[in-house]
Amino acid sequence: DQQVKQNSPSLSVQEGRISILNCDYTNSMFDYFLWYKKYPAEGPTFLISISSIKDKNEDGRFTVFLNKSAKHLSLHIVPSQPGDSAVYFCAARGGGADGLTFGKGTHLIIQP
Amino acid sequence: GAGVSQSPSNKVTEKGKDVELRCDPISGHTALYWYRQSLGQGLEFLIYFQGNSAPDKSGLPSDRFSAERTGGSVSTLTIQRTQQEDSAVYLCASSNPNQPQHFGDGTRLSIL
């Protein structure tokens, strides 16, 4: 039973536009959420995070929004750049586990 | 560099053989995690070490899997009597408490 779900396996966005990646979770005990970016043959790289007591966190072109009542978070990238093309993983901490619980990832493709 | 280092980067072995995977965490990080990523899946938590405490082995899929962390630094993940379903990328991460995990580039394990 997947506790963190990324329902879009892939997303194609034009360069310069906004990319919105979505993530849903089921475990209300998660207390911290993270987004990781992964290039082929490399390990995931930490991008941005948000505590469950906040609803927004911004870092440059990246903003993460958390809607606790809907158990939903999203990552906004604006403006999108070619180097943003990668697989993005949503991850959650807590819920009784010591490790992070990951979604299956969304492959973001930025088109010129 | 000063990142998480994993070796080997690739390992091909025959079904039934034992394999050892190595992880050198970031110096000073007290927490160390092992995950695996099977094809088309998200990262699956395997085991967690924190300082000198007993490890959390709750994610290990079977008793063929074991891990140790010597001197609070280097860790080895051992898979005995490998099966084809063990084929995956095995990722190691390290962190300090309440900080994002930093990942190595993984070991791609292929069981023939």
Side-chain angles (χ1 to χ4, degrees):
Chain A
D1 182 31
Q2 269 197 287
Q3 297 189 64
V4 177
K5 297 179 184 178
Q6 294 177 256
N7 291 320
S8 298
S10 66
L11 176 67
S12 184
V13 175
Q14 206 165 11
E15 182 179 355
R17 306 293 280 265
I18 184 170
S19 295
I20 300 176
L21 296 100
N22 294 303
C23 177
D24 297 291
Y25 63 94
T26 58
N27 191 332
S28 58
M29 299 301 290
F30 288 140
D31 63 357
Y32 197 73
F33 301 89
L34 307 91
W35 285 94
Y36 282 84
K37 175 181 179 180
K38 187 180 184 302
Y39 293 121
E42 294 185 9
T45 303
F46 170 71
L47 202 54
I48 193 170
S49 62
I50 188 166
S51 166
S52 61
I53 62 173
K54 297 190 173 181
D55 55 18
K56 178 182 175 181
N57 187 27
E58 191 172 352
D59 183 2
R61 296 186 298 116
F62 303 92
T63 303
V64 55
F65 295 92
L66 175 62
N67 182 335
K68 279 187 69 176
S69 60
K71 294 192 178 66
H72 177 83
L73 65 156
S74 61
L75 173 67
H76 292 211
I77 307 172
V78 56
S80 300
Q81 298 175 354
D84 296 332
S85 294
V87 177
Y88 289 77
F89 289 98
C90 172
R93 188 187 74 184
D98 283 318
L100 295 174
T101 303
F102 282 83
K104 291 187 177 182
T106 296
H107 185 193
L108 177 64
I109 302 161
I110 305 301
Q111 295 185 334
Chain B
V4 177
S5 178
Q6 292 187 245
S7 61
S9 53
N10 286 282
K11 176 74 176 177
V12 181
T13 192
E14 292 180 349
K15 176 182 169 182
K17 300 285 189 182
D18 298 351
V19 294
E20 268 193 10
L21 312 179
R22 177 187 168 104
C23 173
D24 283 271
I26 293 173
S27 178
H29 279 185
T30 58
L32 187 147
Y33 306 78
W34 283 97
Y35 295 84
R36 75 175 174 183
Q37 185 182 17
S38 302
L39 193 63
Q41 302 297 312
L43 281 71
E44 173 192 6
F45 166 71
L46 297 178
I47 189 168
Y48 160 67
F49 295 90
Q50 173 59 53
N52 295 320
S53 303
D56 174 4
K57 304 179 182 181
S58 59
L60 294 178
S62 79
D63 58 8
R64 296 186 295 105
F65 287 71
S66 62
E68 59 180 29
R69 188 180 184 192
T70 52
S73 181
V74 171
S75 176
T76 55
L77 176 69
T78 302
I79 309 173
Q80 295 178 308
R81 306 180 303 280
T82 51
Q83 304 294 313
Q84 287 187 330
E85 62 262 28
D86 300 334
S87 295
V89 177
Y90 288 81
L91 290 152
C92 175
S94 71
S95 74
N96 278 326
N98 297 318
Q99 294 297 311
Q101 295 174 27
H102 296 269
F103 285 82
D105 287 340
T107 294
R108 181 174 297 277
L109 177 63
S110 300
I111 309 300
L112 301 178

